[in-house]
Amino acid sequence: MELSTAGSRIRAGLLVGLLAWSSMAVAPSLSAQGAPLALGLTLNDPAISPGDTLVAGISVTNPAGGPLADVFFVILLPDGTTVFSLTPGGARAGSLANLRTLAPIVRGISLAGAFTYSNAAFFTYPFSGIEPTGLYRIFFVAARTGALDDGAIDGGDLLAVASKDFTVGARSVVVDTLRAVTATVPVTGGAVQTTAANGTGLSLGVPGSAVRAATAITIAPLLAFDAIPSGPLVAGISAEPSGLHFDTPATLTITLPAGFQPPPFGLLGFIADRDGGNLQTVPARLTGNVVTLAVPHFSVAGVALASDWLAPCATPKSPEMATACQGLRPLYDAEVARLTSQGGPIDIAFKADAGLILLDWLQSGILPRLSDAQMPGAPDPFLKPSAALVEWGIWLVDLYEPVFGPTFDRTNQAAGLPLGHFIDQVQAEARLTYRAGRDAINIKCLADKANVATHVKNVNLLFLDWFRGVPGGSSTETLEYCARIRVDAFPPPVLTPGQGSGMPIDVRLRFIDGQDLPSGELLSVAIAATNATVAPAGGVLPTPIAGTVTLTPSSSTSVVTISAAVVNAPLDQL
C-alpha cells in the first residue's frame, strides 16, 4: 500500500491495504453539538513504525431519546485533505474539500432506545513501511441522518465526535556513501556503475531520450532498507537527484556474487522515494546471477528475497483476492514444508493447483475490475483505474511470476507460458484502463486548472501503476498531460564562425486547449550546441516566457546543431 501526500491524490499502495478496512475525516475543529450520545476512541500506540500494527477501539454510550443517526469512522491522511471512510463494503476514498465524498459505516441507526457498545479492536491495520509518514487523525463521528449529504456542516448536524492522532515514522535507508559514483548522462543515454563492498556489481543504464538534458546522476550501494514487505535486502542503490523521473524507464542491472542461490519463490524488485516512502514492487528478472529491473523514478531501487510468497495477502485488495489467498495458503504452506525437507524447484503439482486458483481470480475479479475502471463518471478519475491496475500488478509480479517465470508484453501466449492467453488479454485491458484513467484526469484538469500540478502528478503515478502491470510496454505509451511545455527557438539565418549571434527563445507552459498557464511558473531551458559555444554560461536560460541566447560557431565548421530541453519544470514530468 502507498499513499502520496500531494493534494488529495491517493497512491496505489495505501489504497491497497485500506481496502480491507478504512476511514474518513471531518475537519479537526468540529465538535459535538450537545446531544446526549457519547463516543469513545482508543489507540494502542500514538507512534507507529514500519512493522507495527495500529489497533483502534471504539465505545458508544447512548442514554436514549436521540434521533436517527449516521455513524462515520474516518482516517485523515498526512496531506490534510485525503480521507478514507470505513464502510460495510470496504474502504472508500474521499476529500475534506467535498463532504459528499464521506461515507457512513452505518446509516439511519436509531438512538431512541438506550444502549452501549464497545470493541477494543474495531479497526486494525498493519503498517508495512510503504505508507506516507506524518500525522494521521482518526475520527469517530455521529451525525443526524442525511445531515452531511448537502456537503455542509450546519448547527445541530453533529451529535458526537471523538478523535485521536497518531504519527507514522520514517523508514530506515542506509547507504554506503564511500562507494558513491557520479556520472553525467547525456540525452543520448549512458550508464552509472559502482560495486558494493561484497562484490555485487550495480549498473544503472539510462536509455536515449530518458532525460531531457544532460543530468548528473549519483548512485551508491544500499546497505539496509527496512520498508521491504517481504524478505531481507539482497542488493540495491540509492540514487540522486531525488525525485528524478525518466521519460523511458532506466534499467538497474545487479550482478550478484558467484554462487548466489535464489529462494524457490524468487526475488522481489522494489522502487521507492529517498526516505523509503511510496514503495512499489516491480518485476525483477533473474538470469544466472544477474538481476534486472526497471527504474521509472528515483531514489531507492533494488531486490529482496521473496521469503513470504503470500505477503500481499495480508491486505487483500478485493473479495476475489481474499478468496484466492484463502485457497492458496494451504497449498503454499504444504509446498514450503516439502521444500524445507526435500529441496529442489517448486513442484509441478503446486503450480497446477495454484494456477487454477490464480486463473479464477483473474477471470472473476481482475478482468471485471479493469473493465469497470474504464467506465466514465468516477468521482475521482484516478482511483478506480489505479486500484484496478494495482491489483493486477500484484497478481502478476508478486504471485504469478515467482512461480511461473517472467511475463512479457503481448507475447505470453506465443511463448507458451501457463495462462499466457489470459495474461495477454489482461495486459490489453490494463492498457485501456490506463488510457481511460489518463484521459479522465486530463478532462478534470482542464475543468480545474488551478490544481494542474496535482492532476499532472496523478497521471504520472497512474503511469507507474500501469507500467508495473505491463512489463516491457512502457515505450508504447505516452503520458499525455493536460499541460505541456512549448519551446520555440529562432536561429539566425546566417552564422559567422567566431562571431556571436542572438537566438530568441520562447518558452511557455500551456494547457492542451491552448491556454497559457498562470504567470509565475518559472522554467529553465538548457541550450546545447555542437560546433558552437552558448551563452549564458552553461546554456541555461531562466525565463518565465522569453529570452535570448548567444551562439558563437567555431572557426572551423559550417554546420551547427542546436538542441534545447526544459529543466527544473514546476510541474512533474512535463
Side-chain angles (χ1 to χ4, degrees):
M1 300 180 297
E2 321 161 298
L3 281 123
S4 159
T5 57
S8 62
R9 139 91 188 138
I10 300 161
R11 193 59 195 279
L14 185 54
L15 179 59
V16 155
L18 287 176
L19 281 175
W21 279 120
S22 206
S23 31
M24 147 212 146
V26 176
S29 61
L30 300 182
S31 60
Q33 301 298 311
L37 179 66
L39 303 180
L41 180 62
T42 61
L43 300 180
N44 65 319
D45 192 345
I48 298 295
S49 299
D52 293 344
T53 297
L54 177 74
V55 180
I58 62 171
S59 62
V60 181
T61 302
N62 180 52
L68 296 179
D70 297 337
V71 180
F72 300 82
F73 187 89
V74 176
I75 295 179
L76 174 65
L77 273 57
D79 63 8
T81 301
T82 305
V83 296
F84 279 94
S85 299
L86 182 64
T87 75
R92 182 178 299 180
S95 170
L96 276 183
N98 182 2
L99 294 181
R100 292 186 179 90
T101 63
L102 306 184
I105 191 169
V106 61
R107 182 181 290 274
I109 186 172
S110 174
L111 303 182
F115 66 87
T116 60
Y117 173 83
S118 66
N119 187 336
F122 178 76
F123 172 81
T124 61
Y125 180 80
F127 280 79
S128 64
I130 59 177
E131 301 81 4
T133 59
L135 179 68
Y136 290 72
R137 177 164 291 169
I138 296 183
F139 288 92
F140 184 33
V141 179
R144 294 180 183 274
T145 291
L148 302 187
D149 293 348
D150 61 358
I153 297 178
D154 304 310
D157 282 356
L158 298 183
L159 302 174
V161 176
S163 67
K164 289 286 185 180
D165 293 346
F166 66 95
T167 58
V168 175
R171 297 85 177 165
S172 173
V173 180
V174 182
V175 177
D176 187 351
T177 56
L178 296 178
R179 294 177 179 270
V181 173
T182 301
T184 298
V185 177
V187 293
T188 53
V192 189
Q193 299 177 337
T194 187
T195 302
N198 66 353
T200 297
L202 302 163
S203 176
L204 184 75
V206 181
S209 301
V211 293
R212 303 184 183 185
T215 304
I217 293 177
T218 300
I219 67 171
L222 197 61
L223 296 178
F225 182 44
D226 68 3
I228 303 171
S230 184
L233 173 70
V234 173
I237 62 170
S238 177
E240 299 290 341
S242 178
L244 174 67
H245 284 69
F246 297 104
D247 287 348
T248 301
T251 298
L252 176 61
T253 300
I254 301 174
T255 304
L256 298 166
F260 172 77
Q261 295 295 323
F265 287 90
L267 298 174
L268 174 74
F270 61 85
I271 56 174
D273 292 345
R274 179 169 53 186
D275 66 351
N278 290 332
L279 180 70
Q280 288 187 318
T281 54
V282 296
R285 317 293 184 186
L286 177 64
T287 304
N289 67 326
V290 177
V291 184
T292 57
L293 63 150
V295 180
H297 68 84
F298 282 167
S299 286
V300 175
V303 289
L305 295 178
S307 59
D308 183 2
W309 182 60
L310 289 183
C313 288
T315 51
K317 316 305 178 282
S318 68
E320 291 81 8
M321 180 177 178
T323 300
C325 287
Q326 186 177 12
L328 290 169
R329 173 57 68 181
L331 298 176
Y332 174 61
D333 290 344
E335 183 63 5
V336 169
R338 188 196 66 79
L339 290 168
T340 301
S341 62
Q342 302 176 13
I346 298 174
D347 189 75
I348 190 171
F350 172 80
K351 290 184 177 183
D353 292 340
L356 291 175
I357 294 174
L358 290 174
L359 177 61
D360 184 65
W361 173 18
L362 193 69
Q363 293 178 309
S364 64
I366 293 175
L367 269 171
R369 213 174 314 283
L370 287 168
S371 179
D372 178 67
Q374 298 167 28
M375 302 300 292
D380 188 321
F382 169 78
L383 290 179
K384 288 178 69 176
S386 179
L389 291 171
V390 165
E391 184 172 351
W392 158 237
I394 288 174
W395 186 100
L396 183 76
V397 175
D398 297 330
L399 297 175
Y400 179 87
E401 289 195 337
V403 172
F404 298 100
T407 60
F408 303 92
D409 186 32
R410 297 183 176 179
T411 63
N412 299 292
Q413 182 179 11
L417 288 180
L419 309 188
H421 164 72
F422 297 101
I423 293 173
D424 287 339
Q425 178 183 353
V426 178
Q427 286 177 340
E429 287 293 311
R431 267 193 170 75
L432 296 175
T433 301
Y434 161 74
R435 292 169 184 162
R438 177 200 62 196
D439 294 344
I441 293 170
N442 284 338
I443 291 172
K444 186 174 181 179
C445 175
L446 294 178
D448 181 28
K449 293 178 177 177
N451 294 311
V452 58
T454 295
H455 300 303
V456 167
K457 290 174 183 176
N458 284 353
V459 173
N460 202 13
L461 292 167
L462 187 67
F463 173 76
L464 296 179
D465 295 336
W466 167 81
F467 174 79
R468 181 175 183 269
V470 188
S474 62
S475 62
T476 64
E477 290 291 340
T478 56
L479 300 190
E480 297 184 10
Y481 297 113
C482 64
R484 297 170 181 165
I485 293 174
R486 176 175 173 177
V487 180
D488 292 320
F490 307 95
V494 178
L495 292 172
T496 303
Q499 294 185 12
S501 299
M503 182 176 72
I505 296 285
D506 189 304
V507 184
R508 297 176 186 270
L509 269 172
R510 284 197 176 108
F511 290 101
I512 54 178
D513 63 5
Q515 180 182 345
D516 284 0
L517 266 70
S519 60
E521 300 282 12
L522 296 179
L523 307 174
S524 294
V525 183
I527 308 297
T530 59
N531 303 321
T533 59
V534 180
V540 177
L541 175 71
T543 171
I545 297 178
T548 301
V549 298
T550 301
L551 294 176
T552 305
S554 63
S555 58
S556 59
T557 184
S558 59
V559 178
V560 173
T561 302
I562 304 166
S563 62
V566 174
V567 295
N568 301 326
L571 302 180
D572 290 355
Q573 289 308 285
L574 283 176

